[in-house]
Amino acid sequence: MTNSVSDTISSTQTELEKLVADLRGLLSSKDLDSVPEIKVLRQRLDDGMHNVRDAAVHAAQEAARQAKDAARAADRYAHDEPWRVAGAAMAVGALVGFLLARR
């Protein structure tokens, strides 16, 4: 689960970096150097990209932390209530077996 989230974030980040590179390419024209707003726009673009990278890293770390917390909670529950977990697994197995037998 964490791997697919980080893959999605990575591919999104790559696409965003391509977009920013394209924009930087357009804005890097020597003809535009005389326009002061272009320098400000370049700086804002760089700052925005830095903020997006930080947000993506934070989101990936938070998703990984939540996945670990959920796994720990499930592990604790299975250790605290082993008969309940075994009973639930048996019920699910019986249901699957019943459904497969009807085919």
Side-chain angles (χ1 to χ4, degrees), residues 1-98:
M1 179 171 159
T2 303
N3 195 18
S4 67
V5 170
S6 86
D7 289 346
T8 301
I9 289 172
S10 178
S11 68
T12 302
Q13 183 176 352
T14 301
E15 289 299 318
L16 187 59
E17 286 176 356
K18 286 179 187 176
L19 176 63
V20 169
D22 290 346
L23 285 171
R24 289 262 303 118
L26 289 172
L27 294 175
S28 67
S29 170
K30 294 293 181 191
D31 297 335
L32 297 175
D33 282 346
S34 62
V35 181
E37 290 85 9
I38 295 299
K39 290 180 182 179
V40 172
L41 186 57
R42 285 179 187 150
Q43 185 59 44
R44 286 180 56 199
L45 193 60
D46 288 342
D47 292 344
M49 190 62 198
H50 179 72
N51 291 340
V52 167
R53 282 186 188 132
D54 288 348
V57 167
H58 178 71
Q61 289 172 343
E62 182 64 21
R65 186 192 61 77
Q66 288 178 354
K68 287 178 185 177
D69 288 348
R72 281 192 205 106
D75 185 57
R76 256 193 321 273
Y77 183 78
H79 281 91
D80 292 345
E81 304 284 342
W83 290 109
R84 204 175 262 189
V85 172
M90 187 175 76
V92 169
L95 179 63
V96 169
F98 175 74

